[in-house]
Amino acid sequence: MPQNDPLCPDDPKPRLGRPPADGAAPWDPAPLREVVGLFGRAGCRWWIAGGHAIELAVGRELRPHADIDVLVLRDDQHAVQDALAGWEWWAADPPGSLRPWRRDEYLHPGVHDVWCRPEPGGPWRIQVMLDEGRGGTWVSRRDATVCRPVAGIGAVSPDGIPYLRPEIQLYYKAKRPRPKDEQDFDAVLPLLGTGQRTWLADAITHTLGPHPWTARLR
């Protein structure tokens, strides 16, 4: 089974390792407000990602979501354990097996996803995605030449929720766009400024080559 792709959270989920005894626990995504309350005490930069980030950008609900995703930089990963103290944390090891993430263990590049739940055997509630940062620069794990200042990767909703900027989220969705990704692209495209469109078109072209979205972005 392929490794789950961070920032493209609807990709197939990793299979569970051993233990737990529940085999393949279901997802019951935590409500957005609950996630915001938990990570508000994290003491690090964090952003709502995935389809919820697109909805925060457009200001309305677009579709149901199978999970909820939070992005943090790799060097801030232990703040996740503090924010979700008392929860279970499971790291997705390549090529896609979950195993317990030990307290204070440092997850090195190659491990990008952590599944979290409040109690053993319960449904998964939050997915945390680890992305790379070098100094004050965010670096795409897919293409190290695609980068921008960390201060420029997020936005804040009118009610104060930090979220990943839509052009970055769409960059990750562009690799294998599914109908829901096309829906997200259509919804947010009219709201993208010239600079956002140019950045996204250039990033997609550099990483993926010719792509049907770039003509619309240009």
Side-chain angles (χ1 to χ4, degrees):
M1 182 177 291
Q3 181 182 352
N4 194 38
D5 195 4
L7 301 185
C8 198
D10 296 318
D11 281 354
K13 298 296 184 187
R15 62 186 180 274
L16 291 176
R18 297 295 182 191
D22 57 5
W27 271 86
D28 180 18
L32 179 61
R33 282 294 174 187
E34 179 182 342
V35 175
V36 171
L38 289 166
F39 279 84
R41 64 195 189 197
C44 72
R45 294 166 294 190
W46 58 274
W47 303 267
I48 296 294
H52 287 279
I54 298 294
E55 291 184 344
L56 288 168
V58 302
R60 68 180 191 278
E61 293 184 5
L62 297 175
R63 55 181 174 81
H65 299 280
D67 55 14
I68 189 163
D69 312 281
V70 178
L71 174 71
V72 301
L73 297 178
R74 186 170 303 278
D75 285 348
D76 293 326
Q77 61 182 270
H78 290 147
V80 173
Q81 295 183 338
D82 294 334
L84 302 180
W87 286 45
E88 281 196 345
W89 323 298
W90 288 69
D93 278 340
S97 295
L98 291 179
R99 51 91 176 170
W101 179 25
R102 300 184 304 275
R103 181 73 193 185
D104 296 327
E105 174 192 1
Y106 186 84
L107 299 176
H108 292 279
V111 178
H112 302 283
D113 294 280
V114 179
W115 291 17
C116 307
R117 57 186 178 184
E119 65 278 325
W124 305 107
R125 301 282 282 162
I126 298 172
Q127 177 170 260
V128 176
M129 295 175 291
L130 304 178
D131 224 354
E132 311 308 323
R134 297 175 184 166
T137 301
W138 163 82
V139 180
S140 167
R141 75 161 195 92
R142 185 170 292 163
D143 182 342
T145 66
V146 175
C147 55
R148 63 195 298 177
V150 170
I153 70 170
V156 180
S157 71
D159 50 353
I161 302 174
Y163 63 92
L164 193 65
R165 294 185 68 88
E167 64 269 27
I168 297 177
Q169 186 64 69
L170 290 174
Y171 164 70
Y172 280 98
K173 286 176 171 286
K175 184 177 181 180
R176 293 186 300 272
R178 301 142 300 178
K180 62 184 67 178
D181 301 319
E182 299 287 355
Q183 181 182 358
D184 289 348
F185 180 81
D186 290 341
V188 82
L189 179 61
L191 304 179
L192 297 180
T194 300
Q196 292 172 294
R197 289 170 178 248
T198 299
W199 183 91
L200 178 56
D202 289 348
I204 290 174
T205 300
H206 189 276
T207 303
L208 302 175
H211 193 283
W213 285 0
T214 56
R216 297 179 62 189
L217 289 163
R218 302 290 189 192

